[in-house]
Amino acid sequence: MSTEIFLVLVVALIIDRLVGDPDWLWDRLTHPVVLFGKAIGIFDEALNRGGDGGWQKMRGVATILVLLAASILLGVVLNRLFDVLGAVGFVLEAMTVAVFLAQKSLADHVRRVAEGLRSDGLAGGREAVSMIVGRDPKTLDEPGVCRAAIESLAENFSDGVVAPALWYAVAGLPGLLAYKMLNTADSMIGHKSPKYLHFGWASARLDDLANLPAARLSVFLIAAGARFKRGIEAAKAAIDVAKRDHGFHRSPNSGWPEAAMAGALGIQLAGPRVYGGVSVDEPMINGAGRAVATVDDIDAAVAVFHGACTTLALASAFLVLPFLLF
């Protein structure tokens, strides 16, 4: 960690909050995460073939280690290049970090769910939520659509905002790029389908480990966002429900931010749902909360999310301020 890294992080958070992922840019250029996905796809096609589970695991371990080494090397090269460029390099590094954050894009996608429900009813909400969740939207009623959007917002706050910011703060561009490569690999090959149960095992386990600190930190950031937007009782409920109910989620990490958001809003989240035709039977997080989520709850969740993002930026600025003043 260094003063410059935190200063870059503050600027990057501001850029991402204001600009996000503009369509006009990524319609003309290939997003780095897309390139990461293509690299993962090459290894998947070449190495994820036949053999027993042990050999598949070994090939999966080799795949993610090579991909992580390549992303770390790229981060080192970019870091040295930006250092040589001075002030211009500082701006370029902040823009690079901003590309790997997801504040505005995440909030925009979740808002579209609320807009879809308000303008086109359940069909509009299902179509919008299908863009951000893996579950079958046809199985969701309107409260289910609202819960799915809020859960996605909370979960992706942790691994789309807090985790990349944290890994950049800890290890600079090499840490950020390695995390994004790992997180992309987990989303592509880390699930427990027959094809990826063994080959994606290493990616999934490493991703769980990499997201562990961010998931816990996200609880306090969501609580702070709830304090700003909904009051002290909502902040306390966010922390209490997260401590009590995080284990109800199948993921060792996602339960923390989702439970915090459930407590902040006073609603139930998670519970039984369907992914690819397979039912997942889990208890409700914050079972004592309100059972029926509404479009207004999506708006409230986005407000808490923005408060949490503001807290993250302010905390980063607070960490660098003493070094700038003295």
Side-chain angles (χ1 to χ4, degrees):
M1 296 185 184
S2 70
T3 304
E4 184 176 351
I5 279 181
F6 280 110
L7 191 56
V8 168
L9 180 57
V10 172
V11 175
L13 286 165
I14 293 171
I15 292 172
D16 178 58
R17 180 76 174 266
L18 298 176
V19 179
D21 289 322
D23 292 336
W24 61 263
L25 177 61
W26 301 120
D27 285 344
R28 293 167 173 80
L29 299 175
T30 303
H31 197 287
V33 172
V34 175
L35 296 176
F36 287 1
K38 289 181 178 180
I40 295 162
I42 291 171
F43 278 85
D44 182 18
E45 184 176 353
L47 298 180
N48 189 14
R49 296 182 179 182
D52 60 27
W55 278 108
Q56 285 186 317
K57 274 190 177 182
M58 288 180 63
R59 291 196 293 266
V61 169
T63 291
I64 194 60
L65 290 180
V66 170
L67 290 169
L68 289 177
S71 57
I72 289 170
L73 178 61
L74 176 60
V76 170
V77 171
L78 289 175
N79 186 67
R80 292 184 178 178
L81 175 62
F82 293 152
D83 282 347
V84 170
L85 295 175
V88 174
F90 177 93
V91 174
L92 290 174
E93 183 163 345
M95 293 172 63
T96 300
V97 175
V99 165
F100 292 101
L101 300 171
Q103 296 170 99
K104 187 175 186 299
S105 60
L106 180 55
D108 287 347
H109 277 99
V110 173
R111 279 201 195 95
R112 290 188 190 112
V113 178
E115 292 167 0
L117 286 169
R118 288 189 170 110
S119 61
D120 298 314
L122 180 57
R126 283 174 171 173
E127 181 179 358
V129 84
S130 70
M131 305 300 292
I132 58 173
V133 301
R135 69 195 68 176
D136 184 355
K138 294 179 181 178
T139 66
L140 300 174
D141 56 11
E142 184 166 325
V145 169
C146 294
R147 285 197 305 272
I150 294 167
E151 291 162 16
S152 179
L153 180 67
E155 178 181 355
N156 284 290
F157 171 62
S158 176
D159 61 20
V161 179
V162 181
L166 180 60
W167 280 106
Y168 176 72
V170 169
L173 285 175
L176 172 62
L177 296 187
Y179 171 76
K180 292 303 295 185
M181 178 64 81
L182 178 60
N183 192 240
T184 306
D186 177 62
S187 67
M188 291 180 63
I189 64 175
H191 36 89
K192 295 182 178 180
S193 65
K195 182 178 181 180
Y196 294 115
L197 180 62
H198 301 295
F199 184 74
W201 171 83
S203 295
R205 298 292 76 76
L206 286 174
D207 186 72
D208 287 342
L209 185 62
N211 278 297
L212 189 149
R216 279 73 177 166
L217 177 59
S218 68
V219 171
F220 298 100
L221 293 170
I222 289 172
R227 174 64 181 86
F228 291 149
K229 302 295 183 178
R230 299 177 65 82
I232 188 66
E233 293 304 319
K236 290 179 179 178
I239 293 175
D240 289 343
V241 174
K243 289 167 60 179
R244 186 188 70 220
D245 291 355
H246 69 272
F248 290 167
H249 201 285
R250 69 192 185 284
S251 165
N253 293 315
S254 297
W256 290 94
E258 289 189 26
M261 186 65 79
L265 302 181
I267 61 173
Q268 297 176 4
L269 291 178
R273 48 207 186 276
V274 178
Y275 293 90
V278 178
S279 297
V280 175
D281 189 16
E282 293 178 356
M284 283 290 187
I285 292 174
N286 194 27
R290 182 162 35 88
V292 178
T294 67
V295 179
D296 289 340
D297 290 317
I298 297 179
D299 296 335
V302 172
V304 170
F305 168 78
H306 279 151
C309 291
T310 299
T311 302
L312 177 61
L314 290 175
S316 301
F318 178 79
L319 289 171
V320 77
L321 188 60
F323 297 99
L324 296 177
L325 294 178
F326 302 105

